[in-house]
Amino acid sequence: MAHPTEMLAETVDQALRQRARRVVPGGMTGHLNAAALPVGYPQFFQRGDGCRLWDVDGREVIDFMCAWGPNLLGYRHPEVEAAAQAQAALGDCLNGPTPRFVELAETLVDTIAHADWVLFQKNGTDATTVALMVARAATGRRKVLAAQGSYHGAAPWCTPVPAGTTPEDRAHLIRFRYNDVASLEAAAAEAGPDLAAVLLAPIRHDLGIDQELPSPAFAQAARALCDRAGAALVLDEVRTGLRLNMPGSWEPLGIRPDLSAWSKAIANGHALAAVTGTDALRDAAGRIFTTGSFWAGGVAMAAGLATLAVARRDGLVVHLERIGSLFRQGLAEQAVALGIGIRQSGPVQMPLVLFDDDPAWEKGMVFCAEALRHGAYLHPKHNMFLSLAHTEADIAQALRATEAGLQAVRQRFGAG
């Protein structure tokens, strides 16, 4: 049977999908594959500007995925792009790093509360992997505790899809339940004296379920456990970094990690990742061997410097909290008015909309498909993201699209 999108009149997007299937296994890889999204969602895009995207068929939408997180300030932010272009005119990938390498490392150390040093990479998976290497080098141990369902990257030790991996790849990974102190302690007991690290997302943002903020008791227990065991507490800030609190997502809880992994937003869409750590782990970080021909590229680092400067100057977190609250409140009011049960969870900077009695996300798919037709790009089960470029006018326009989406849900499934 033909894929539903193939039954539509051919578009530029469909033609590109067909070409891609011939030369790319499956046509697209990983989380960027639009096959799991509602019919009508584009796979290929022409350009982005601010908080808006244009697909290859010219359709304009207000974007609530922000390139799955990297768009922090707005697509093609003029100050970030000017910094990147100025560095590109001098050079990007050279025999060694440019001065931007040192400048950005200094800036990150000044910005991130726990950081005494920085190691650079390119992707979030690079950063989480390097962080665990540092923890193991520092402790001489093997076991790592990670929450059930948490996503920490696509390397064999953590990918959610086991094809191409072996049981040995994750033989030293022990799972526990997020926000469950007893479960965490049981996992630590299983690891025993071989515990190297506890790896945590600052919030629970597993695919398809309600987001969950950490309880202060859980965060404190994780910190105390690592201190007691001589293990490293590692925060995976790849999704949350800068959006929730620029010095670190757990700073408001009074808890600092030993290591943290950063990527996505730190260079506003330019490929860059980083591991930051404390002085106690500096020697271990210097003993491991990790490298990449493109990891010290000057263009992304220049973009990172500009991104951090704009985020500080323009009050990024305050803006995201205000805009996110407007979006959440508007959606809640619409749902009540239409008699539809929805759940919005987690920080307002990272919106998530799930429907009651919708285990297979069918309501979510209808909602998002209709909202897209009215000009808002949402996701039916993944947390979304807001950027500095989203304005009150954009939120008002997007809420008109969500109202149409909620009405479509009511027409299809009824109230409730």
Side-chain angles (χ1 to χ4, degrees), residues 232-269:
L233 177 60
V234 184
L235 281 190
D236 178 353
E237 292 269 24
V238 172
R239 285 195 213 180
T240 52
L242 302 184
R243 278 190 168 87
L244 305 191
N245 188 70
M246 288 188 63
S249 293
W250 275 13
E251 277 296 296
L253 296 174
I255 303 296
R256 292 183 177 174
D258 303 297
L259 297 161
S260 55
W262 306 74
S263 189
K264 288 193 185 290
I266 61 173
N268 202 52

Short mmCIF file of all heavy atoms in Angstrom, two decimals, residues 232-269:
data_model
loop_
_atom_site.label_atom_id
_atom_site.label_comp_id
_atom_site.label_asym_id
_atom_site.label_seq_id
_atom_site.Cartn_x
_atom_site.Cartn_y
_atom_site.Cartn_z
N ALA A 232 30.50 10.73 39.93
CA ALA A 232 30.23 12.03 39.32
C ALA A 232 28.74 12.19 39.04
O ALA A 232 28.10 11.29 38.50
CB ALA A 232 31.00 12.17 38.01
N LEU A 233 28.18 13.33 39.41
CA LEU A 233 26.83 13.69 39.03
C LEU A 233 26.91 14.44 37.71
O LEU A 233 27.54 15.49 37.61
CB LEU A 233 26.18 14.57 40.10
CG LEU A 233 24.76 15.08 39.79
CD1 LEU A 233 23.79 13.92 39.59
CD2 LEU A 233 24.28 16.02 40.89
N VAL A 234 26.25 13.88 36.68
CA VAL A 234 26.32 14.42 35.32
C VAL A 234 24.92 14.89 34.91
O VAL A 234 23.98 14.11 34.92
CB VAL A 234 26.82 13.37 34.31
CG1 VAL A 234 26.97 13.99 32.92
CG2 VAL A 234 28.12 12.74 34.78
N LEU A 235 24.80 16.17 34.54
CA LEU A 235 23.54 16.67 34.02
C LEU A 235 23.62 16.77 32.50
O LEU A 235 24.57 17.35 31.95
CB LEU A 235 23.21 18.05 34.59
CG LEU A 235 22.64 18.12 36.00
CD1 LEU A 235 22.16 19.54 36.30
CD2 LEU A 235 21.50 17.13 36.20
N ASP A 236 22.62 16.20 31.84
CA ASP A 236 22.51 16.28 30.38
C ASP A 236 21.67 17.52 30.06
O ASP A 236 20.44 17.47 30.05
CB ASP A 236 21.85 15.01 29.85
CG ASP A 236 21.66 15.02 28.34
OD1 ASP A 236 21.91 16.07 27.71
OD2 ASP A 236 21.23 13.98 27.80
N GLU A 237 22.34 18.62 29.78
CA GLU A 237 21.69 19.90 29.49
C GLU A 237 21.45 20.11 27.99
O GLU A 237 21.16 21.23 27.56
CB GLU A 237 22.56 21.05 30.01
CG GLU A 237 22.67 21.14 31.53
CD GLU A 237 21.59 22.05 32.12
OE1 GLU A 237 20.54 22.23 31.47
OE2 GLU A 237 21.82 22.58 33.22
N VAL A 238 21.56 19.05 27.20
CA VAL A 238 21.50 19.22 25.75
C VAL A 238 20.18 19.87 25.32
O VAL A 238 20.17 20.76 24.47
CB VAL A 238 21.72 17.87 25.04
CG1 VAL A 238 21.45 17.99 23.54
CG2 VAL A 238 23.16 17.39 25.27
N ARG A 239 19.05 19.45 25.88
CA ARG A 239 17.77 20.08 25.54
C ARG A 239 17.50 21.33 26.36
O ARG A 239 16.97 22.32 25.87
CB ARG A 239 16.61 19.11 25.76
CG ARG A 239 16.48 18.04 24.73
CD ARG A 239 15.10 17.38 24.84
NE ARG A 239 15.19 15.98 24.49
CZ ARG A 239 14.16 15.14 24.50
NH1 ARG A 239 12.96 15.57 24.86
NH2 ARG A 239 14.32 13.87 24.17
N THR A 240 17.81 21.26 27.63
CA THR A 240 17.39 22.31 28.56
C THR A 240 18.36 23.48 28.64
O THR A 240 17.97 24.58 29.05
CB THR A 240 17.26 21.72 29.97
OG1 THR A 240 18.48 21.04 30.29
CG2 THR A 240 16.12 20.73 30.05
N GLY A 241 19.62 23.28 28.26
CA GLY A 241 20.67 24.25 28.49
C GLY A 241 20.35 25.64 27.97
O GLY A 241 19.94 25.81 26.83
N LEU A 242 20.53 26.65 28.80
CA LEU A 242 20.31 28.08 28.59
C LEU A 242 18.84 28.46 28.67
O LEU A 242 18.51 29.54 29.15
CB LEU A 242 20.88 28.56 27.24
CG LEU A 242 22.38 28.32 27.02
CD1 LEU A 242 22.81 28.94 25.70
CD2 LEU A 242 23.22 28.87 28.15
N ARG A 243 17.91 27.60 28.23
CA ARG A 243 16.50 27.98 28.21
C ARG A 243 15.89 28.10 29.61
O ARG A 243 15.03 28.95 29.84
CB ARG A 243 15.69 26.97 27.39
CG ARG A 243 15.75 27.21 25.90
CD ARG A 243 14.76 26.33 25.15
NE ARG A 243 14.65 26.77 23.77
CZ ARG A 243 15.44 26.35 22.77
NH1 ARG A 243 16.37 25.46 23.03
NH2 ARG A 243 15.27 26.80 21.55
N LEU A 244 16.30 27.24 30.52
CA LEU A 244 15.67 27.23 31.84
C LEU A 244 16.39 28.16 32.81
O LEU A 244 15.75 28.85 33.61
CB LEU A 244 15.65 25.81 32.41
CG LEU A 244 14.99 24.73 31.54
CD1 LEU A 244 14.81 23.47 32.35
CD2 LEU A 244 13.67 25.21 30.97
N ASN A 245 17.71 28.17 32.77
CA ASN A 245 18.50 29.01 33.66
C ASN A 245 19.92 29.00 33.09
O ASN A 245 20.54 27.93 33.01
CB ASN A 245 18.49 28.46 35.08
CG ASN A 245 19.14 29.39 36.07
OD1 ASN A 245 18.61 30.45 36.38
ND2 ASN A 245 20.29 29.00 36.58
N MET A 246 20.43 30.15 32.70
CA MET A 246 21.69 30.15 31.97
C MET A 246 22.86 29.57 32.76
O MET A 246 23.68 28.84 32.20
CB MET A 246 22.00 31.55 31.44
CG MET A 246 21.10 31.97 30.28
SD MET A 246 21.58 33.52 29.50
CE MET A 246 23.20 33.12 28.86
N PRO A 247 22.99 29.81 34.06
CA PRO A 247 24.10 29.21 34.80
C PRO A 247 23.97 27.71 35.04
O PRO A 247 24.91 27.06 35.48
CB PRO A 247 24.10 29.97 36.12
CG PRO A 247 23.36 31.23 35.85
CD PRO A 247 22.32 30.84 34.85
N GLY A 248 22.81 27.14 34.74
CA GLY A 248 22.59 25.72 34.96
C GLY A 248 21.17 25.47 35.41
O GLY A 248 20.63 26.21 36.24
N SER A 249 20.53 24.43 34.87
CA SER A 249 19.11 24.22 35.12
C SER A 249 18.80 23.89 36.58
O SER A 249 17.68 24.14 37.05
CB SER A 249 18.59 23.10 34.22
OG SER A 249 18.62 23.51 32.87
N TRP A 250 19.75 23.31 37.31
CA TRP A 250 19.50 22.96 38.70
C TRP A 250 20.00 24.02 39.68
O TRP A 250 19.91 23.83 40.90
CB TRP A 250 20.13 21.61 39.03
CG TRP A 250 19.23 20.45 38.66
CD1 TRP A 250 18.11 20.49 37.90
CD2 TRP A 250 19.38 19.09 39.08
NE1 TRP A 250 17.55 19.25 37.79
CE2 TRP A 250 18.31 18.36 38.50
CE3 TRP A 250 20.31 18.41 39.85
CZ2 TRP A 250 18.16 16.99 38.69
CZ3 TRP A 250 20.16 17.05 40.05
CH2 TRP A 250 19.09 16.34 39.47
N GLU A 251 20.48 25.15 39.19
CA GLU A 251 20.91 26.23 40.08
C GLU A 251 19.78 26.70 41.01
O GLU A 251 20.02 26.93 42.20
CB GLU A 251 21.46 27.41 39.28
CG GLU A 251 22.91 27.25 38.88
CD GLU A 251 23.85 27.20 40.08
OE1 GLU A 251 23.95 28.19 40.81
OE2 GLU A 251 24.47 26.15 40.29
N PRO A 252 18.54 26.83 40.52
CA PRO A 252 17.47 27.24 41.44
C PRO A 252 17.21 26.25 42.56
O PRO A 252 16.65 26.62 43.60
CB PRO A 252 16.24 27.36 40.51
CG PRO A 252 16.81 27.64 39.16
CD PRO A 252 18.07 26.82 39.11
N LEU A 253 17.63 24.99 42.37
CA LEU A 253 17.48 23.97 43.41
C LEU A 253 18.67 23.96 44.37
O LEU A 253 18.66 23.24 45.37
CB LEU A 253 17.35 22.58 42.78
CG LEU A 253 16.12 22.33 41.91
CD1 LEU A 253 16.21 20.96 41.25
CD2 LEU A 253 14.84 22.45 42.74
N GLY A 254 19.69 24.74 44.04
CA GLY A 254 20.88 24.76 44.88
C GLY A 254 21.76 23.53 44.69
O GLY A 254 22.58 23.21 45.56
N ILE A 255 21.60 22.83 43.56
CA ILE A 255 22.37 21.61 43.29
C ILE A 255 23.24 21.83 42.07
O ILE A 255 22.74 22.21 41.00
CB ILE A 255 21.43 20.41 43.03
CG1 ILE A 255 20.50 20.20 44.22
CG2 ILE A 255 22.24 19.15 42.73
CD1 ILE A 255 21.19 19.81 45.50
N ARG A 256 24.53 21.58 42.20
CA ARG A 256 25.46 21.71 41.08
C ARG A 256 26.03 20.35 40.72
O ARG A 256 26.42 19.57 41.61
CB ARG A 256 26.59 22.67 41.42
CG ARG A 256 26.12 24.10 41.55
CD ARG A 256 27.23 25.09 41.83
NE ARG A 256 26.69 26.44 41.85
CZ ARG A 256 27.39 27.52 42.17
NH1 ARG A 256 28.68 27.41 42.50
NH2 ARG A 256 26.81 28.70 42.15
N PRO A 257 26.11 20.05 39.43
CA PRO A 257 26.69 18.79 39.00
C PRO A 257 28.21 18.86 39.00
O PRO A 257 28.81 19.94 39.13
CB PRO A 257 26.17 18.65 37.57
CG PRO A 257 26.09 20.07 37.09
CD PRO A 257 25.66 20.88 38.30
N ASP A 258 28.83 17.71 38.81
CA ASP A 258 30.28 17.66 38.60
C ASP A 258 30.62 17.86 37.13
O ASP A 258 31.67 18.43 36.80
CB ASP A 258 30.82 16.31 39.07
CG ASP A 258 30.49 16.04 40.52
OD1 ASP A 258 30.97 16.80 41.38
OD2 ASP A 258 29.73 15.08 40.80
N LEU A 259 29.73 17.38 36.27
CA LEU A 259 29.90 17.48 34.82
C LEU A 259 28.55 17.82 34.21
O LEU A 259 27.50 17.41 34.73
CB LEU A 259 30.38 16.15 34.22
CG LEU A 259 31.74 15.62 34.65
CD1 LEU A 259 31.85 14.13 34.35
CD2 LEU A 259 32.85 16.40 33.93
N SER A 260 28.56 18.55 33.11
CA SER A 260 27.33 18.74 32.36
C SER A 260 27.63 18.73 30.87
O SER A 260 28.73 19.11 30.44
CB SER A 260 26.61 20.04 32.75
OG SER A 260 27.45 21.16 32.62
N ALA A 261 26.64 18.26 30.11
CA ALA A 261 26.76 18.13 28.65
C ALA A 261 25.85 19.15 28.00
O ALA A 261 24.67 19.25 28.34
CB ALA A 261 26.38 16.72 28.22
N TRP A 262 26.39 19.90 27.03
CA TRP A 262 25.66 20.99 26.38
C TRP A 262 25.74 20.82 24.86
O TRP A 262 26.73 20.35 24.32
CB TRP A 262 26.27 22.35 26.74
CG TRP A 262 26.38 22.62 28.20
CD1 TRP A 262 27.27 22.06 29.08
CD2 TRP A 262 25.54 23.48 28.98
NE1 TRP A 262 27.05 22.53 30.34
CE2 TRP A 262 25.99 23.41 30.33
CE3 TRP A 262 24.47 24.31 28.68
CZ2 TRP A 262 25.41 24.14 31.35
CZ3 TRP A 262 23.89 25.04 29.71
CH2 TRP A 262 24.35 24.95 31.01
N SER A 263 24.68 21.24 24.18
CA SER A 263 24.71 21.31 22.72
C SER A 263 23.49 22.09 22.27
O SER A 263 23.08 23.03 22.95
CB SER A 263 24.74 19.90 22.11
OG SER A 263 24.98 19.97 20.70
N LYS A 264 22.90 21.71 21.15
CA LYS A 264 21.71 22.35 20.58
C LYS A 264 21.83 23.86 20.54
O LYS A 264 22.29 24.44 19.58
CB LYS A 264 20.45 21.90 21.33
CG LYS A 264 20.05 20.45 21.03
CD LYS A 264 18.65 20.16 21.52
CE LYS A 264 18.26 18.70 21.34
NZ LYS A 264 18.03 18.28 19.98
N ALA A 265 21.42 24.54 21.63
CA ALA A 265 21.19 25.97 21.58
C ALA A 265 22.42 26.83 21.78
O ALA A 265 22.35 28.05 21.60
CB ALA A 265 20.14 26.36 22.63
N ILE A 266 23.56 26.26 22.17
CA ILE A 266 24.67 27.13 22.60
C ILE A 266 25.31 27.91 21.47
O ILE A 266 26.09 28.84 21.74
CB ILE A 266 25.76 26.34 23.38
CG1 ILE A 266 26.38 25.24 22.51
CG2 ILE A 266 25.18 25.77 24.67
CD1 ILE A 266 27.57 24.57 23.19
N ALA A 267 25.01 27.59 20.21
CA ALA A 267 25.53 28.39 19.09
C ALA A 267 24.41 28.74 18.11
O ALA A 267 24.66 29.03 16.95
CB ALA A 267 26.66 27.66 18.37
N ASN A 268 23.17 28.73 18.58
CA ASN A 268 22.00 29.14 17.79
C ASN A 268 21.93 28.47 16.43
O ASN A 268 21.67 29.12 15.42
CB ASN A 268 21.96 30.67 17.62
CG ASN A 268 20.55 31.16 17.31
OD1 ASN A 268 19.62 30.84 18.03
ND2 ASN A 268 20.40 31.94 16.26
N GLY A 269 22.13 27.16 16.43
CA GLY A 269 21.97 26.40 15.19
C GLY A 269 23.27 26.03 14.51
O GLY A 269 23.27 25.17 13.61
#
